[in-house]
Amino acid sequence: MDKFTVLTAIAAPLPEANIDTDKIIPARFLKTTKRSGLGVHAFDGMRYNPDGSEKPDFVLNQEPYRKAGILITYDNLGCGSSREHAPWALLDFGIRCVIAPSFADIFFNNCFKNGIVPIRLPREICDMLMDDARLGGNGRLTVDLERQVVIRPDGEEIGFEIDPLRKHLLLEGLDDIGQTLQHEGAIGTFETARQQAQPWQTRIVID
Amino acid sequence: MAARTLFDKIWDSHVVERLPDGTAILYIDRHLVHEVTSPQAFEGLRMSGRRLRRPDATIAVVDHNVPTSDRTQPIEEPESRNQIETLERNVREFDVPYFPLLSARQGIVHVVGPEQGISLPGMTIVCGDSHTSTHGALGALAFGIGTSEVEHVMATQTLLQKPARNMKVTVEGPLGPGVTAKDVMLAIIGRIGTAGGTGHVIEFAGSTIRGLDMAGRMTICNMSIEAGARAGLVEPDETTFEYVRGRPFAPKGEAFDQAVAYWKTLVADEGAQYDKTVELRAEDIGPSLTWGTSPETVISVTGTVPDPKDQADEARRVQMQRMLDYMGLEAGQKIAGVPVDVVFIGSCTNSRIEDLRSAASVIAGRHVAEGVRAMVVPGSGIVKAQAEEEGLDRIFRDAGFEWREAGCSMCLGMNPDKLTPGQRCASTSNRNFEGRQGPGGRTHLLSPAMAAAAAVTGHLTDVRELI
C-alpha cells in the first residue's frame, strides 16, 4: 500500500447522496481475480452510454476532472455491497481521497485498507469544497493527513477527525496483518481457552 | 457489571486484546468464503508467505457467478469460469473445506451456513459479502467485510474492530394476512432509511419478531445492511434451538445441551441501554414494495408513487426524479397494476423452503400471466431437494415458472440470469440499485408471496386479493 502524506489534487464534485457500490463498480466487473485495472469501469453506468461512448455530462468525463485525485459527494457514500472492488476502482482511476458528510461503514473501512483517505465533513463544508472544485485546475485542494487539514485554494484550512491507528497505518503505508500478527501469542491463548470452554464449537471437516 | 445488550455480550466474549486506542482484536469463529471476494485475499497470503490459520473454521462455496441452468455443462463465460476455478485451486492449496458446484450442499453462502449448522448462536461470523448480516438471525454477530479483511481473517482468525453502537428495533403485534417478514423489514428500512443504522448493530425484538420462524428472521437480519447497519441480531430462543438441532455441523447429544445452556444466556440484560430505539406496530404494516432505486423507497402496495415536488431538499428532489425516470414511473401513479416482465423468487433474502412454500401457496392452481418470465431459484441444493420432495417444484412448473439450480442468480448481474434494459422485475432480492439485476433493469423489491401474485396477474398486485 502506498503511503499517504500530503495530496494536492483536482477534486471532482459529485453532489449526490447514497452513491452505492453498484454505482461505483457494477457487479459484472467483479469477475477479476486482481485488484488493478478497474478504473476504466469506475461509475460505469453514470459514465458511459450503453454503446460504450462517454456521457459528456458526467463530471469524470470532463477536463480537468479526468485527472481528479479527490472526490466530493453527499451523504452515505459507498452504501450497499461490501465489494472492495469499489475502492480498488476509485484508486485505479486515481482517487486517493473521498470527502462526504457520511459514509457507509464497510466502504469506509475498505478505503483505509487501500490507502484512500475517507474524510467526513459537514454538508455545508462539502458544498463549499464542491464550489472550490468547480474551479477545476484553479480549485485544487490539498489534504495534509499528518496535520489533519483540508486546505482550500485560498489557503483556508479545514480540520477533520481521523482514527489515530488508521492515520498511522496510512502515513506509513502499513499492512495491518503484520501489526496483528505481533499479537499471535495472545490469539493462540484465546483460541485454546475458547475451545476448552465451548467444546461444542465444532470443526468444519468435510469427508 | 453494567447491563449489557446482546451485541455487547457477544462482542465482549470475542475480544482477544484491546489496543491502547480502543481498537479490539476480535476473534472470528466462522469465516465463509465465496469466489468473488476471495481471490485477491488468497493471492495476498501467497505473496506474503502466510498460512491460513484455521481452515477448520472456514467454509467455501461458489454462488455469485454460477449459472442456475444445467450444471453438467462447462461454464461458458470465461471470466466466471476462471473465478470458480481460481477458488477451487485456492481451497486445495490452503486446505479449505468446500462445497463444489455439483455438491447437493452447494448454494448461496448465507443459506448454506445456517442450513449446515456451520453458523451457530453466539458466534462471530464474517464473509466478504455484506449480506453476512443474515446469520444474525441465529443470535450470532455476523457482518460483511472487504477483501483486505478477508485476508486478515485468513491470516490471523481475527479482525481489528471498534465496537458498534447499539440500536433496538421493536415490532409488536400479530401480522395481518399476506404480510411477511419481508414486509416488516421493508417497513423498517422505509422508516429509518438506508443510513438509519450506520455505525450500529440492530437488535430486532418484540412479539412480531419472536413469532417469526428462522427463515423470516433471516430475511429481517439479511436486509439490516440495507438499513446501513453493520449487523442485525435476534435473541436465540426455542425456535432457534429447534432449528439448529440435528444440523450436520451443529453439536450433538450432550454437547448440544451444553451449548443450549450457554445460548440461553445470550439475551439483553434488563435495563440494557441502546443508542437508538425504533418501535413499529405490525398492524400498521401491509404488503409493501419499493418504487425507486434505493431500498428505502418503500410504499404500501395500495399506495401511489410519491411526488418529488413534495421534497424540500433540492438534491433529494433531483434524485427522486432520476429514480422515477429510471424506473419508468410517474409521480402520483398507483403502484398496483404496473405491469412486470420478469418475476424472480430467490436470493439470500428469500430463497429458503419457507419462502418457496409461501410463494407456492399463492400460485397453486394458477398460471403465470402471458408474456411474463417467472423463475424460482432455490437457495441451496438442499432447499431444492426438499421442495421437490414436497411437490413444490410441480406447482411452480405447472404454473409456468422456471425451476432452477441454486445460486445468487438474478439478485446481481454476475451470472447469465440478468434483466435486459428496461425490463421490470418483481424481485424477492434485497437491492434495487440502478443496474443491479442487469444494466437498465428495473427492480421492485417485495416478498415471495407478492412476487407470486405479480407472476400470476402480470402486474404488481396486492397479494391479499389472491388469498
Side-chain angles (χ1 to χ4, degrees):
Chain A
M1 190 171 87
D2 290 341
K3 289 182 186 183
F4 190 111
T5 49
V6 178
L7 169 73
T8 297
I10 287 164
L14 194 51
E16 278 186 39
N18 301 315
I19 297 173
D20 56 71
T21 52
D22 277 83
K23 258 186 200 146
I24 299 174
I25 184 84
R28 62 186 183 282
F29 301 115
L30 310 189
K31 297 182 184 187
T32 175
T33 54
K34 301 193 181 74
R35 290 173 195 249
S36 57
L38 289 168
V40 65
H41 303 303
F43 298 102
D44 191 88
M46 301 167 88
R47 199 165 148 204
Y48 303 110
N49 291 307
D51 67 2
S53 61
E54 288 185 355
K55 293 182 179 175
D57 292 346
F58 185 62
V59 64
L60 298 180
N61 289 333
Q62 297 164 358
E63 295 296 348
Y65 304 108
R66 290 175 186 277
K67 293 190 228 39
I70 300 169
L71 184 71
I72 313 169
T73 76
Y74 285 156
D75 273 299
N76 203 23
L77 175 61
C79 58
S81 143
S82 64
R83 61 190 69 165
E84 200 160 319
H85 308 70
W88 294 339
L90 295 179
L91 190 66
D92 198 60
F93 181 89
I95 305 283
R96 290 293 311 273
C97 172
V98 284
I99 302 176
S102 62
F103 295 87
D105 291 331
I106 306 177
F107 176 77
F108 189 71
N109 264 326
N110 284 342
C111 284
F112 287 105
K113 312 286 181 190
N114 292 283
I116 296 176
V117 183
I119 299 178
R120 283 194 197 104
L121 288 171
R123 163 89 183 243
E124 55 277 17
I125 304 273
C126 289
D127 275 327
M128 206 165 70
L129 296 177
M130 283 195 207
D131 284 340
D132 290 339
R134 289 189 184 99
L135 301 172
N138 297 323
R140 283 184 169 79
L141 299 176
T142 296
V143 177
D144 185 333
L145 180 60
E146 176 60 52
R147 294 176 50 232
Q148 294 182 220
V149 288
V150 177
I151 306 167
R152 301 180 63 196
D154 65 2
E156 188 198 346
E157 298 193 346
I158 297 164
F160 62 86
E161 295 293 316
I162 188 164
D163 179 276
L165 177 63
R166 287 172 150 168
K167 176 179 171 180
H168 168 72
L169 294 172
L170 283 168
L171 285 170
E172 301 297 327
L174 288 177
D175 151 4
D176 55 7
I177 296 178
Q179 176 110 345
T180 302
L181 284 173
Q182 292 172 5
H183 302 264
E184 210 172 1
I187 295 170
T189 307
F190 181 93
E191 197 163 56
T192 308
R194 184 161 175 76
Q195 278 162 0
Q196 282 167 358
Q198 303 196 346
W200 65 83
Q201 296 241 14
T202 48
R203 291 168 184 277
I204 307 171
V205 179
I206 299 174
D207 303 325
Chain B
M1 188 181 279
R4 292 186 297 165
T5 64
L6 175 54
F7 165 73
D8 295 337
K9 288 186 180 181
I10 303 176
W11 174 272
D12 289 349
S13 68
H14 288 83
V15 174
V16 173
E17 239 182 287
R18 276 188 189 82
L19 304 180
D21 76 327
T23 303
I25 300 179
L26 192 72
Y27 193 77
I28 301 302
D29 293 316
R30 290 287 190 247
H31 188 193
L32 318 175
V33 171
H34 66 85
E35 79 278 16
V36 179
T37 57
S38 65
Q40 296 86 351
F42 281 115
E43 182 65 10
L45 287 187
R46 206 176 283 123
M47 306 260 287
S48 53
R50 288 171 178 146
R51 69 191 177 104
L52 194 152
R53 185 183 174 90
R54 287 282 312 272
D56 64 340
T58 312
I59 181 78
V61 297
V62 281
D63 56 6
H64 285 62
N65 269 283
V66 301
T68 60
S69 51
D70 184 3
R71 291 280 170 80
T72 58
Q73 301 301 312
I75 294 169
E76 276 178 36
E77 223 276 316
E79 284 180 299
S80 291
R81 192 171 63 235
N82 179 45
Q83 214 165 43
I84 291 166
E85 287 170 357
T86 302
L87 181 70
E88 296 191 332
R89 275 198 305 279
N90 285 329
V91 298
R92 275 196 303 274
E93 181 181 340
F94 291 93
D95 213 14
V96 173
Y98 172 54
F99 295 140
L101 190 55
L102 292 175
S103 161
R105 298 198 271 185
Q106 180 269 341
I108 307 173
V109 65
H110 309 309
V111 175
V112 171
E115 180 176 85
Q116 291 296 317
I118 287 169
S119 309
L120 296 172
M123 284 182 159
T124 46
I125 302 170
V126 296
C127 173
D129 190 286
S130 60
H131 289 111
T132 309
S133 58
T134 311
H135 309 257
L138 290 148
L141 176 60
F143 52 93
I145 55 178
T147 298
S148 296
E149 290 180 312
V150 168
E151 187 182 338
H152 193 283
V153 175
M154 286 175 172
T156 70
Q157 203 58 30
T158 67
L159 278 174
L160 295 174
Q161 293 277 304
K162 286 257 171 78
R165 290 190 290 274
N166 283 289
M167 179 166 179
K168 186 174 189 176
V169 174
T170 309
V171 191
E172 293 288 356
L175 291 172
V179 185
T180 68
K182 184 66 164 280
D183 302 293
V184 173
M185 195 54 195
L186 287 174
I188 293 169
I189 299 164
R191 166 82 80 88
I192 68 176
T194 54
T198 303
H200 293 75
V201 168
I202 302 178
E203 192 180 314
F204 296 97
S207 61
T208 315
I209 306 291
R210 281 197 304 277
L212 293 174
D213 57 27
M214 288 309 294
R217 296 179 189 184
M218 286 186 221
T219 300
I220 300 258
C221 288
N222 172 274
M223 290 188 74
S224 301
I225 185 73
E226 272 62 58
R230 275 319 292 276
L233 279 172
V234 178
E235 285 180 350
D237 59 9
E238 288 303 324
T239 303
T240 321
F241 310 145
E242 282 318 302
Y243 174 89
V244 170
R245 187 193 297 274
R247 299 205 171 255
F249 293 94
K252 306 280 185 319
E254 201 180 320
F256 182 77
D257 297 337
Q258 279 180 350
V260 169
Y262 172 68
W263 295 339
K264 284 184 173 170
T265 69
L266 298 174
V267 291
D269 291 333
E270 193 78 31
Q273 295 295 309
Y274 294 85
D275 301 282
K276 257 189 193 176
T277 56
V278 175
E279 281 155 29
L280 285 86
R281 291 184 311 176
E283 65 189 85
D284 299 334
I285 302 171
S288 305
L289 74 175
T290 61
W291 62 266
T293 57
S294 164
E296 69 189 20
T297 58
V298 176
I299 52 174
S300 161
V301 68
T302 59
T304 54
V305 176
D307 193 334
K309 286 202 206 77
D310 301 337
Q311 289 293 320
D313 180 70
E314 198 208 330
R316 176 82 189 130
R317 207 158 51 231
V318 169
Q319 195 156 33
M320 272 178 80
Q321 187 56 52
R322 207 176 83 182
M323 286 187 192
L324 290 179
D325 295 343
Y326 181 86
M327 291 298 291
L329 295 171
E330 283 176 28
Q333 180 180 3
K334 277 194 144 163
I335 197 74
V338 171
V340 300
D341 304 298
V342 177
V343 172
F344 170 57
I345 299 177
S347 88
C348 57
T349 313
N350 282 123
S351 63
R352 298 178 182 83
I353 189 70
E354 295 83 349
D355 299 313
L356 304 194
R357 287 180 194 141
S358 167
S361 73
V362 175
I363 285 154
R366 296 190 167 101
H367 201 273
V368 172
E370 204 174 312
V372 173
R373 177 188 182 195
M375 54 201 284
V376 183
V377 184
S380 70
I382 303 277
V383 171
K384 182 166 189 261
Q386 187 174 347
E388 288 172 355
E389 206 179 291
E390 296 180 15
L392 303 182
D393 62 317
R394 289 265 42 109
I395 295 175
F396 285 116
R397 284 179 203 268
D398 290 350
F401 272 83
E402 298 170 24
W403 178 249
R404 303 182 72 91
E405 302 288 338
C408 295
S409 184
M410 203 182 265
C411 176
L412 83 175
M414 275 205 82
N415 56 69
D417 305 341
K418 277 184 205 160
L419 296 180
T420 56
Q423 273 190 328
R424 186 180 302 282
C425 180
S427 178
T428 67
S429 57
N430 42 58
R431 288 189 179 133
N432 52 1
F433 299 151
E434 282 182 27
R436 170 78 179 185
Q437 295 190 287
R442 296 163 168 166
T443 305
H444 296 277
L445 302 176
L446 33 60
S447 72
M450 285 279 286
V456 298
T457 60
H459 49 79
L460 299 171
T461 300
D462 188 340
V463 64
R464 290 172 297 196
E465 293 166 12
L466 301 180
I467 53 178

